[in-house]
Amino acid sequence: MLKEKVNEAVKYISERISTKPQIGLILGSGLGVLADEIEEPVKVAYQDIPGFPVSTVEGHAGQLVYGSLQGVPVIAMQGRFHFYEGYPIDMVTLPVRVMKELGIETMIVTNAAGGVNQNLKPGDLMLITDHINNTGQNPLIGPNDSEVGVRFPDMSTAYDQDLRVVAKKAAEKLGLTLKDGVYVWNSGPSYETPAEVKMIRYLGGDAVGMSTVPEVIVARHAGINVLGVSCISNMAAGILDQPLSHTEVIETTEYARENFLSFIREVIFSLNRNK
Ligand code: HPA
């Protein structure tokens, strides 16, 4: 049972941390370094947490890091679970349910994504304003636990308006360009074909990736406020005359890393100040 898995994981983690985390961070490909900045870190490897799957993708360390960032108690997923790795969809989102039970009210979710809108360029940070689930998968399929959330959760403001304002101000303060866009979730692991990229653009997508949407659905179901940020790691297939590679994705996110790190730090700082 899902609930039992959540409870077991929560018990294991709570025995290791002192106060409840306020913000949950999900760090995407190449962006896990943010967790290295967490002060007085308590690190819990996914493989040691009862009920947790083990992450398999390169570039993901696979641990939860609890501690303080800008004076705020946070819990970060250094590496996430992707549907394309073969996990059942409810395992992909298990950590979000666990972070909710641990006490988070806000979730900052990040990813590397391919730019579909040609106004984006590799290295850009994109504030996710909305998403399109292009997979037919949904982590809430199955019995609904009404103690967690409603059967038919509203997704009209999946990406919280107030958090988006905070993010815009943080970017402005740092002199960073933060573009807006709609994130499209494709299952992967193959990248899109050029025809699929055209379709995504026609559908209203600005960037495409293989994560985030399941976690956001579960977070909204549970009443967590979400801020989503994509790091544009490449232009999606067919836009430039070159093949896509995971190496390029990692290299570009590493290059955008400093901007990303200072941006998220500033967002957390502002959230704390505004409280
Ligand atoms: N497509 C899908 N997922 C991705 C991409 C892409 O172009 N870049 C990084 N993740």
Side-chain angles (χ1 to χ4, degrees):
M1 267 280 290
L2 185 60
K3 200 168 181 174
E4 281 153 19
K5 282 206 166 107
V6 172
N7 291 344
E8 269 182 63
V10 169
K11 181 168 179 289
Y12 183 85
I13 299 160
S14 344
E15 281 165 4
R16 285 158 179 80
I17 65 179
S18 46
T19 49
K20 76 172 193 175
Q22 266 171 39
I23 300 180
L25 291 154
I26 304 185
L27 304 172
S29 302
L31 303 172
V33 277
L34 182 61
D36 298 334
E37 303 205 349
I38 294 175
E39 288 163 30
E40 295 179 49
V42 176
K43 299 181 179 177
V44 192
Y46 293 158
Q47 66 207 29
D48 296 335
I49 306 175
F52 253 53
V54 176
S55 181
T56 63
V57 139
E58 277 174 64
H60 295 256
Q63 57 182 1
L64 281 177
V65 184
Y66 165 87
S68 162
L69 207 54
Q70 304 286 3
V72 181
V74 300
I75 187 154
M77 288 183 71
Q78 201 170 29
R80 56 147 63 84
F81 303 106
H82 298 89
F83 186 58
Y84 64 73
E85 291 175 87
Y87 304 113
I89 189 76
D90 56 354
M91 285 298 103
V92 171
T93 53
L94 182 85
V96 178
R97 296 185 189 278
V98 169
M99 290 194 289
K100 166 74 188 179
E101 288 303 310
L102 290 171
I104 67 160
E105 291 150 22
T106 303
M107 182 173 92
I108 302 179
V109 58
T110 65
N111 59 52
V116 176
N117 182 331
Q118 301 210 25
N119 291 328
L120 294 167
K121 59 178 194 313
D124 277 352
L125 296 181
M126 184 189 91
L127 182 64
I128 306 179
T129 55
D130 205 347
H131 73 224
I132 295 175
N133 179 352
N134 197 36
T135 66
Q137 294 291 331
N138 192 304
L140 302 179
I141 291 175
N144 183 54
D145 182 350
S146 57
E147 280 175 24
V148 178
V150 295
R151 172 73 290 189
F152 301 107
D154 175 39
M155 294 293 287
S156 18
T157 50
Y159 300 85
D160 188 78
Q161 184 60 43
D162 293 344
L163 291 176
R164 273 151 59 187
V165 171
V166 170
K168 285 282 184 191
K169 284 192 183 150
E172 206 175 306
K173 184 167 165 196
L174 297 172
L176 279 178
T177 309
L178 180 65
K179 296 177 181 164
D180 282 338
V182 172
Y183 176 88
V184 177
W185 176 37
N186 271 356
S187 74
S190 52
Y191 288 114
E192 299 69 33
T193 62
E196 286 165 345
V197 170
K198 268 191 200 151
M199 177 192 74
I200 290 166
R201 187 69 194 127
Y202 284 130
L203 290 177
D206 296 296
V208 59
M210 305 178 193
S211 67
T212 302
V213 168
E215 292 108 314
V216 171
I217 292 173
V218 165
R220 291 307 299 140
H221 178 244
I224 300 169
N225 293 324
V226 176
L227 178 72
V229 185
S230 290
C231 174
I232 304 302
S233 55
N234 57 285
M235 292 315 286
I239 294 181
L240 303 175
D241 192 17
Q242 63 187 49
L244 270 53
S245 76
H246 185 61
T247 313
E248 183 198 358
V249 168
I250 297 295
E251 279 172 8
T252 312
T253 41
E254 279 173 6
Y255 147 86
R257 181 181 275 179
E258 281 314 312
N259 281 348
F260 169 79
L261 292 179
S262 39
F263 171 63
I264 301 292
R265 262 190 253 119
E266 184 61 34
V267 167
I268 294 176
F269 176 77
S270 316
L271 287 176
N272 196 27
R273 197 189 38 202
N274 294 349
K275 266 185 93 125

